[in-house]
Amino acid sequence: MALECIDAFHIQKGMSNDIKTEWLNTQLIWKIKNYGMYREIHFTHLGLEPNLLCFEICKQGWDHFFLVSLPAYLDLARGQPHTYRE
């Protein structure tokens, strides 16, 4: 399954306004493989490249969701979603 970002307004305090639309036209690609009782998730954010202003912030965010929040949700029925803080 692929999702395409058709609108973007990413604000990051202290960063250039150029960061606002960096996700525009990027694709989120999900591939889920079944192995009996187990599932394997492969995720690619096509277009999220190291030269983008948001790269490190987004990488940390995706790492949090896949390595912390999603496993907590699946194991404990309680994920750890992002909350906006100023």
Side-chain angles (χ1 to χ4, degrees), residues 1-4 26-33 40-46 66:
M1 172 175 68
L3 303 171
E4 183 174 352
T26 63
Q27 290 185 337
L28 309 174
I29 301 168
W30 304 79
K31 293 181 181 176
I32 302 171
K33 294 182 180 180
E40 184 175 277
I41 300 172
H42 290 266
F43 173 76
T44 304
H45 188 162
L46 194 61
F66 281 100

Side-chain angles (χ1 to χ4, degrees), residues 25 35 37 40 42 55 61-62 67:
N25 300 317
Y35 297 102
M37 294 177 27
E40 184 175 277
H42 290 266
F55 181 79
W62 287 130
L67 302 175

Side-chain angles (χ1 to χ4, degrees), residues 13-73:
K13 191 174 184 175
M15 299 290 286
S16 163
N17 282 339
D18 294 340
I19 200 171
K20 288 182 182 178
T21 57
E22 287 189 319
W23 274 35
L24 195 59
N25 300 317
T26 63
Q27 290 185 337
L28 309 174
I29 301 168
W30 304 79
K31 293 181 181 176
I32 302 171
K33 294 182 180 180
N34 293 316
Y35 297 102
M37 294 177 27
Y38 302 97
R39 306 292 178 271
E40 184 175 277
I41 300 172
H42 290 266
F43 173 76
T44 304
H45 188 162
L46 194 61
L48 180 62
E49 302 290 333
N51 62 315
L52 297 178
L53 295 172
C54 72
F55 181 79
E56 283 303 318
I57 297 163
C58 294
K59 182 183 178 315
Q60 290 173 15
W62 287 130
D63 286 349
H64 169 77
F65 287 119
F66 281 100
L67 302 175
V68 177
S69 187
L70 182 59
Y73 179 75

